[in-house]
Amino acid sequence: MLTKRLVPCLDVQEGRVVKGVQFVELRDAGDPVELADYYDREGADELVFLDISASHEGRKTMVDVVREVAGTLAIPFTVGGGINSVADMRQILRAGADKVSLNTAAVKDPALISEGSDFFGSQCIVVAIDAKWDEALQSWRVYTHGGRRETDLEVTDWAEEVVQRGAGEILLTSMDQDGAKTGYDLALTRAVNAAVSVPVIASGGAGSLQDFADVFLEAGADAALAASVFHYKETAVSEVKEELRKQGVNVR
Amino acid sequence: MIGIVDYGMGNLYSVSKALERLNTPYVLTEDVEKLAATDGLILPGVGSFNDAMTILREKNLDDMLKQAVKDGKPLLGICLGMQLLFSESEENGFTKGLDFLPGKVRRFSGQTRAGIRYKVPHMGWNLLQYRQPAHPLLEDTAEGHVYFVHSYVVHVDTAEVVVATADYDGDVPAVVGRNHVFGTQFHPEKSSNLGMQMLNNYVAYVKERQVQMSDSL
């Protein structure tokens, strides 16, 4: 049986991991390669690197980071942030990433999803969706530009569209829950999961061990992404897995 | 020397990096002559079966592979590369494969017999069940999890070629092989220690076979 995946997410700025792991004796806590290796040993199933560099130089540095990580890491990893064209995708995938994640660029130009999927295969095209509940409209709306801009897209409609266009996986972030550490948005995850045929990675809100169990058992997520709870060792990946096993969730 | 067949499909870089970690010399090329001069081949690949066969034919790599297998040279297909080893695929109608192993490639239906929907692609870590535990690729390993990403699955004509399976709406052939032709549906280069051990086993098999072949000359 396929296992549920735990996915630590690392923010990279100008080639360095920021807000990285705070708790272990690492030679260099900002070194993406060392951190990737640490999470591999911890039992992480996949990694996501999010490039938050604003500069052109930072973007170029990211390609080197990807190449270095790919040279040592023996588990899959996804790269997101600043990928705006098929040429960007090619550069990152050629450098050794297994998947690329599109967010704002996919909303601006949905054809990019199918172009990428036709060219590289849908298995390496992840579409990231930032979702926020709209009380007036009584629905989740898609946000872009790192959550700063609201669109007129409804989340489950958009999710269906991106899959139809060739997305192989959806990385779904709840902006309402992100950073709150009170649990994943189960209703949102359930709604998107029911709407699409591809795997859904839930993101935003992980705080306790139970939060992980809930998103798998209650919302049917295929994978759970988290950043700060892993980096600050409020919960280690291995600890989360042990708890999941106890509750009957199939993990590696 | 291992030859990685570079036909422009998929993540060749991670396969070559995995060989570097194993201190194994390799060439990554589409050059038929250079590949023919190696001791064993790896056929990687992700993407479309039809596109892959078209490129292999255009570059005469299909003939090179057929000759290599005929000559007794070891071959390991990974992911799409494994599917290409079989007779045919129903992707985009019908495409003939390399036909080293008997079987057909079909898309996962996305629905169980009981009518329950399941996710396609089959993406993530799944548990291997060994069907031929004594197979050279499985040496010094125990049944564990490996990383899969695929939407199509092989339906073998004979169970004899199935070395290990994983359960995803039925038995998915995960390691296949007959004589010196092997394939893994999962990505050994992305499957942590277990995957690396299997790659290492393949490299060891190639070396051993090379000794045997030179002895018999």
Side-chain angles (χ1 to χ4, degrees):
Chain A
M1 223 171 97
L2 195 61
T3 60
K4 300 292 188 180
R5 288 172 277 154
L6 289 184
V7 187
C9 176
L10 296 160
D11 287 353
V12 181
Q13 191 168 32
E14 318 293 324
R16 304 276 300 164
V17 175
V18 291
K19 296 188 292 180
V21 180
Q22 304 289 309
F23 52 90
V24 272
E25 288 296 316
L26 295 171
R27 267 178 301 134
D28 177 358
D31 178 12
V33 175
E34 207 177 333
L35 282 168
D37 182 52
Y38 165 75
Y39 276 119
D40 183 4
R41 281 183 281 119
E42 255 294 294
D45 298 304
E46 266 183 66
L47 295 176
V48 169
F49 288 90
L50 193 59
D51 184 14
I52 56 168
S53 308
S55 70
H56 184 62
E57 259 57 50
R59 293 277 154 74
K60 271 200 278 187
T61 313
M62 191 63 195
V63 178
D64 297 331
V65 169
V66 170
R67 199 171 288 119
E68 260 187 84
V69 169
T72 57
L73 193 65
I75 59 170
F77 69 103
T78 301
V79 175
I83 295 168
N84 296 312
S85 64
V86 170
D88 290 344
M89 292 185 222
R90 183 185 296 116
Q91 202 176 24
I92 294 290
L93 291 170
R94 281 227 160 173
D98 298 283
K99 310 176 200 175
V100 288
S101 164
L102 308 172
N103 193 337
T104 304
V107 174
K108 272 194 198 156
D109 178 16
L112 196 57
I113 305 165
S114 27
E115 283 167 30
S117 150
D118 288 347
F119 213 87
F120 308 107
S122 64
Q123 80 290 334
C124 57
I125 308 297
V126 181
V127 173
I129 303 179
D130 291 341
K132 194 173 178 181
W133 178 253
D134 187 309
E135 196 56 43
L137 293 168
Q138 287 293 299
S139 67
W140 287 283
R141 315 306 289 182
V142 177
Y143 280 67
T144 59
H145 298 83
R148 291 189 301 277
R149 223 175 277 179
E150 186 175 359
T151 69
D152 56 5
L153 295 165
E154 195 275 326
V155 168
T156 54
D157 289 346
W158 176 236
E160 280 175 41
E161 182 179 344
V162 302
V163 171
Q164 196 219 328
R165 285 180 181 274
E169 198 171 34
I170 289 178
L171 169 51
L172 178 67
T173 301
S174 161
M175 291 170 53
D176 301 301
Q177 289 302 101
D178 205 18
K181 296 195 177 172
T182 53
Y184 291 95
D185 190 330
L186 301 182
L188 169 70
T189 308
R190 212 178 283 126
V192 171
N193 199 35
V196 299
S197 55
V198 302
V200 175
I201 307 172
S203 159
S208 69
L209 294 176
Q210 191 57 41
D211 294 339
F212 290 95
D214 287 344
V215 81
F216 292 129
L217 294 168
E218 309 278 322
D222 297 282
L225 179 140
S228 54
V229 287
F230 292 143
H231 305 330
Y232 300 101
K233 209 176 185 177
E234 288 153 38
T235 40
V237 174
S238 49
E239 212 182 318
V240 176
K241 286 202 165 175
E242 202 171 309
E243 179 61 26
L244 290 172
R245 259 182 226 111
K246 266 190 220 157
Q247 300 202 26
V249 179
N250 193 17
V251 289
R252 177 168 75 106
Chain B
M1 177 74 75
I2 301 277
I4 304 175
V5 184
D6 179 5
Y7 59 110
M9 304 280 289
N11 197 348
L12 307 155
Y13 186 77
S14 52
V15 176
S16 56
K17 281 290 164 185
L19 290 182
E20 280 173 32
R21 289 202 290 278
L22 296 170
N23 292 316
T24 302
Y26 66 88
V27 285
L28 171 63
T29 179
E30 58 165 51
D31 187 302
V32 168
E33 276 172 30
K34 280 185 192 152
L35 288 168
T38 61
D39 309 308
L41 296 166
I42 293 181
L43 182 65
V46 290
S48 138
F49 192 102
N50 189 37
D51 289 353
M53 281 309 298
T54 304
I55 299 171
L56 287 178
R57 275 195 299 266
E58 277 170 9
K59 297 185 184 291
N60 292 323
L61 288 164
D62 59 336
D63 290 337
M64 182 278 298
L65 288 164
K66 283 173 187 165
Q67 189 59 47
V69 167
K70 211 166 149 192
D71 294 344
K73 185 178 288 189
L75 169 64
L76 171 67
I78 296 174
C79 197
L80 176 64
M82 173 190 114
Q83 298 184 352
L84 295 171
L85 303 177
F86 284 86
S87 327
E88 63 185 56
S89 169
E90 69 167 23
E91 190 184 313
N92 305 327
F94 170 88
T95 309
K96 213 169 147 29
L98 293 165
D99 204 15
F100 300 137
L101 302 172
K104 293 176 186 64
V105 182
R106 292 200 197 116
R107 200 177 155 82
F108 280 113
S109 69
Q111 206 170 43
T112 67
R113 248 180 233 174
I116 299 161
R117 200 183 59 120
Y118 64 87
K119 301 285 179 84
V120 178
H122 172 215
M123 182 187 281
W125 297 81
N126 205 335
L127 186 64
L128 289 180
Q129 289 168 299
Y130 290 177
R131 305 296 172 183
Q132 298 179 37
H135 192 272
L137 274 193
L138 306 185
E139 207 165 299
D140 293 328
T141 67
E143 292 178 342
H145 291 94
V146 290
Y147 188 82
F148 291 86
V149 191
H150 61 126
S151 299
Y152 287 76
V153 56
V154 173
H155 295 257
V156 293
D157 290 347
T158 160
E160 166 210 331
V161 300
V162 178
V163 175
T165 58
D167 178 23
Y168 198 65
D169 188 38
D171 282 345
V172 172
V175 181
V176 297
R178 191 158 69 182
N179 302 323
H180 51 285
V181 176
F182 309 132
T184 65
Q185 178 62 71
F186 56 89
H187 287 270
E189 76 284 7
K190 290 287 161 187
S191 295
S192 208
N193 298 337
L194 178 52
M196 289 302 285
Q197 182 60 45
M198 288 191 196
L199 275 180
N200 202 21
N201 288 344
Y202 178 66
V203 171
Y205 176 87
V206 170
K207 279 186 195 150
E208 212 170 287
R209 194 170 172 88
Q210 189 192 349
V211 172
Q212 284 170 2
M213 285 174 76
S214 57
D215 282 353
S216 67
L217 286 177

